[in-house]
Amino acid sequence: MTGFRPVARADGYPYLEDLGLIGDGGTAALVCRDGSIPWMCVPRFDAPPLFAALLDRERGGHFTVAPVGLREARQEYVGETGVLRTELRGPDGVVSLTDLLTLRAGARLAEPRSAARAELLRIARVEHGRVRLRVELEARGGLDARKGGGGLLLRSRARPDLDLRLDATRPLDRLPVELELEEGDELQLLLHWDGRPRRRGIGGRQLLDDTLAAWRSWLDEFAYEGPQEPLVRRSAVTLKLLDYFENGALLAAPTSSLPEWIGGARNWDYRYTWIRDAAFSVYAFRRIGLGEEAWSFLAWVLDAVERHGRPRVLYDLDGETPDQEAEDPELRGYRGSRPVRWGNGAADQRQHDVFGEIVDCAYQWVAWGGELAETLWARLSEIVEAAAREWTEPDHGIWEVRTDGRPFTYSAAMCQVALDRGATLAERGGHAAEAERWRAEAERIRVAIRDGAWNEERQAFMEHLDGTGHLDASVLTLPLRRVVAFDDPRMVATAERVAEELDAGGGLLYRYLPERSPDGLDDDEGAFLLCSFWLVDNLAGRGLVDEAGELYDSLCGRVNHLGLLSEQIHPESGIFLGNFPQAFSHVGLISSGVNLARRVGSPARGRTAPGG
């Protein structure tokens, strides 16, 4: 555990770097180093938040357990688990606070089934001296509390549908409350929200042991030996904390509306499953031996496609259409960054890259022993045909611009992936005519990208398929998807131009420059971490292992004290920006580690997806 440090705030809000993530595969909570929980949605990830002080410190609601007169704190995970331990120093003593969303005894986390008990456990123990401990619980919209059932029955005024109860190992008759505790004293607090009857007594230590055992068992299949192994392992746990255990859906992030620039309007709800983001997560899981998670998501996404036909950009956790995007008029936003949004308007966009993501998922499914039912093959054929028809048409691209669509190079490349992988599936399934036609169209797209997207004057593949526009870091993925070779002179030149012109300093890259590539918003944004990991992959792919390793290590050095990464980084101050923690960033950390390990002769021991 790192040393004690004071807990700093900016505009009354914690820095995102001071937050840790806990979860149970149904929902998640962010725990601050000051003992507060300023973010938790119940009963599941995409439900309205019970605690949202992260988006409004006065009206959002929080659950805080901390010494009165808190001076400094430190924090670490309990081993390689989703259980968090915080030590908080007050004027006269130190209290340890163990936080977890409890898991069922004997739960096997790799299985696609719920393991959650729908309860938050907080265990406070005085380690040294004495502590006056303050317990404060306030929900968004206000909370009414009354004694009942051996604890406090709570009613959220904004969420009367929730059956909330807080049990404690010491009598509580009100909230907030302050308790005098001596060295060795312990307070257990159990907040649950599903209304099911519980056994008498909290039994917090047994719940803790059961939860730790489930997490430790899950990592038994982890297989990676290479650079930054502890951080790769932590990134695997972080991605698992973004996994909806019940069916294998994978979240982009557990939060909404954390700004990409302080005071700006680039504030989006990420508590959904993007086909793109989740597919990247699948690749990462597979490459470090965690195949069950990959299988679960593949089944989930192929089922969604089979049910709905034309694929959507994103889905809710049930594989259905998300809520319409709406602005919240009440919450002020993190550090005053308005608006706060629920739902995501990108669900209605056209993004052609989803064709490639889904067909590539099906390709992996078959390559790893899965079978495609005839009805599913029919759906996939429609998707491949759509890629063949639409690859030259404008769409909103990987970055989901809020302007009119454009013919993005990345989108065309993913259509090429759809046709290439689709042709392989057709060959294996005995559909020779489709295979031949799709293979020819895939080659046509590859040539169009190689020749058309190339700008001789700029010496780079440009953001638009006709070679116009400006630089876009997404073109760094062309060799990752086997559309262009890593060592193709044009790809080498492109990577060099991207590294030069999208440089944000310190190894960081902007994904594009909004003033040159308009996206419909006027605000600035931070450097996008995944793009820098793509640059690592390009350097490694060209054999520049030392240079790639140096950049990789510098990016890994950006993690917070718990090994977590945000979506973006402020290029000057280095503070975290955007929704947190971000699956994309942890996918990049894992995948680049695997790629480097192969190049330096200590290959990852996990099985590799065919063609991955």
Side-chain angles (χ1 to χ4, degrees):
M1 187 180 291
T2 57
F4 282 99
R5 293 180 291 117
V7 180
R9 288 188 169 248
D11 307 315
Y13 289 84
Y15 288 97
L16 301 184
E17 303 94 283
D18 266 338
L19 298 170
L21 179 71
I22 59 174
D24 59 7
T27 191
L30 293 179
V31 183
C32 185
R33 204 162 48 86
D34 66 3
S36 69
I37 294 180
W39 180 262
M40 187 172 75
C41 299
V42 295
R44 65 183 208 173
F45 292 105
D46 56 357
L50 181 66
F51 307 131
L54 203 56
L55 298 181
D56 192 317
R57 63 188 178 90
E58 295 178 355
R59 292 176 288 190
H62 61 98
F63 185 3
T64 299
V65 178
V68 175
L70 173 65
R71 292 182 175 176
E72 53 186 5
R74 59 185 183 179
Q75 196 174 51
E76 68 177 1
Y77 280 106
V78 180
E80 294 170 330
T81 75
V83 177
L84 195 58
R85 185 171 184 265
T86 309
E87 289 188 352
L88 306 109
R89 190 192 301 277
D92 303 304
V94 174
V95 61
S96 66
L97 181 62
T98 302
D99 285 304
L100 58 148
L101 287 161
T102 63
L103 299 173
R104 290 183 292 100
R108 290 181 49 81
L109 304 190
E111 297 177 352
R113 65 182 64 183
S114 175
R117 293 172 50 89
E119 59 191 21
L120 167 68
L121 175 63
R122 315 197 75 184
I123 302 175
R125 176 182 174 81
V126 178
E127 303 294 342
H128 304 290
R130 64 185 61 178
V131 170
R132 185 170 181 82
L133 194 71
R134 181 173 177 84
V135 178
E136 187 171 355
L137 193 158
E138 186 62 69
R140 182 190 176 182
L143 193 72
D144 299 314
R146 62 182 176 85
K147 296 181 67 174
L152 287 178
L153 301 180
L154 308 176
R155 180 182 177 274
S156 167
R157 296 169 200 159
R159 300 281 307 282
D161 57 303
L162 293 177
D163 193 348
L164 299 168
R165 194 173 96 188
L166 179 66
D167 292 327
T169 51
R170 294 192 173 220
L172 298 180
D173 56 9
R174 67 187 185 281
L175 290 171
V177 66
E178 294 182 3
L179 303 171
E180 296 285 352
L181 301 179
E182 302 286 338
E183 187 169 320
D185 287 348
E186 185 172 279
L187 171 68
Q188 298 180 10
L189 297 161
L190 188 67
L191 175 67
H192 42 90
W193 48 83
D194 67 353
R196 290 187 294 114
R198 297 300 204 276
R199 63 189 178 189
R200 294 192 64 83
I202 293 177
R205 288 291 164 179
Q206 185 62 54
L207 293 173
L208 173 60
D209 289 345
D210 291 342
T211 301
L212 289 172
W215 279 109
R216 288 166 176 158
S217 175
W218 174 72
L219 265 183
D220 285 347
E221 298 301 315
F222 179 91
Y224 171 83
E225 292 178 350
Q228 300 286 349
E229 183 173 339
L231 285 181
V232 171
R233 296 176 75 90
R234 173 48 55 187
S235 288
V237 175
T238 302
L239 290 183
K240 186 62 179 176
L241 286 165
L242 301 179
D243 178 12
Y244 188 52
F245 293 178
E246 188 170 312
N247 60 19
L250 293 163
L251 274 74
T255 53
S256 176
S257 301
L258 294 179
E260 297 172 11
W261 195 261
I262 301 302
R266 297 176 182 269
N267 316 322
W268 315 111
D269 191 347
Y270 274 17
R271 300 169 303 147
Y272 301 106
T273 297
W274 270 255
I275 296 300
R276 174 193 315 115
D277 298 44
F280 272 97
S281 298
V282 165
Y283 305 147
F285 274 135
R286 277 194 179 283
R287 299 174 86 181
I288 54 176
L290 302 176
E292 291 302 320
E293 283 71 21
W295 279 110
S296 295
F297 173 72
L298 293 175
W300 179 88
V301 69
L302 296 177
D303 179 66
V305 170
E306 190 169 6
R307 282 186 286 123
H308 296 294
R310 183 182 177 92
R312 304 190 71 92
V313 175
L314 63 124
Y315 297 88
D316 71 8
L317 299 178
D318 298 318
E320 302 295 339
T321 304
D323 294 336
Q324 289 293 311
E325 183 174 295
E327 297 183 2
D328 192 316
E330 297 179 359
L331 298 181
R332 298 170 181 168
Y334 178 75
R335 297 182 61 183
S337 303
R338 281 177 164 164
V340 168
R341 293 184 174 96
W342 310 118
N344 198 298
D348 297 322
Q349 289 187 350
R350 294 183 67 186
Q351 295 179 26
H352 297 153
D353 66 297
V354 298
F355 300 147
E357 303 293 3
I358 291 174
V359 178
D360 203 22
C361 281
Y363 167 77
Q364 290 189 66
W365 176 274
V366 171
W368 285 77
E371 295 184 4
L372 296 180
E374 194 60 34
T375 54
L376 182 53
W377 169 251
R379 292 291 193 198
L380 288 171
S381 298
E382 292 173 2
I383 292 172
V384 179
E385 293 290 359
R389 288 192 309 270
E390 299 178 25
W391 65 272
T392 60
E393 297 179 7
D395 75 338
H396 293 91
I398 181 176
W399 307 127
E400 302 176 350
V401 298
R402 302 225 167 182
T403 60
D404 292 337
R406 306 196 287 274
F408 287 103
T409 300
Y410 178 86
S411 298
M414 290 309 299
C415 288
Q416 193 274 348
V417 169
L419 285 150
D420 176 79
R421 311 305 192 262
T424 300
L425 291 173
E427 289 168 350
R428 294 179 180 180
H431 305 281
E434 288 93 335
E436 183 178 1
R437 180 163 53 85
W438 292 346
R439 188 79 69 195
E441 190 66 11
E443 178 61 16
R444 182 184 171 204
I445 299 174
R446 190 185 68 80
V447 171
I449 291 172
R450 185 194 65 195
D451 297 338
W454 173 257
N455 185 304
E456 185 67 26
E457 181 180 353
R458 299 293 303 281
Q459 287 290 292
F461 292 117
M462 306 304 285
E463 63 180 337
H464 298 157
L465 189 57
D466 62 359
T468 63
H470 294 275
L471 286 174
D472 182 335
S474 67
V475 298
L476 294 174
T477 66
L478 294 178
L480 301 176
R481 297 311 192 122
R482 294 182 288 139
V483 178
V484 179
F486 282 111
D487 58 358
D488 184 303
R490 295 185 177 188
M491 192 65 236
V492 172
T494 297
E496 291 174 350
R497 294 290 82 71
V498 167
E500 176 184 343
E501 296 188 28
L502 297 183
D503 176 36
L508 299 174
L509 294 177
Y510 296 109
R511 51 184 174 172
Y512 55 88
L513 300 178
E515 65 271 22
R516 297 181 182 176
S517 303
D519 58 11
L521 297 165
D522 295 329
D523 303 299
D524 291 329
E525 65 173 13
F528 204 88
L529 275 166
L530 180 60
C531 298
S532 292
F533 285 114
W534 288 339
L535 184 57
V536 171
D537 297 334
N538 274 263
L539 293 170
R542 288 157 50 193
L544 302 176
V545 176
D546 290 342
E547 190 176 343
E550 183 178 348
L551 176 56
Y552 181 68
D553 288 343
S554 75
L555 296 172
C556 289
R558 300 277 183 176
V559 300
N560 76 350
H561 60 290
L562 296 170
L564 302 179
L565 287 169
S566 60
E567 178 184 32
Q568 300 185 17
I569 297 283
H570 192 290
E572 296 175 0
S573 68
I575 65 169
F576 285 0
L577 296 169
N579 284 300
F580 170 84
Q582 177 78 6
F584 251 175
S585 299
H586 289 279
V587 164
L589 193 152
I590 292 171
S591 297
S592 293
V594 171
N595 290 335
L596 273 171
R598 291 175 178 168
R599 293 285 176 172
V600 299
S602 56
R605 292 182 285 112
R607 299 172 69 191
T608 305

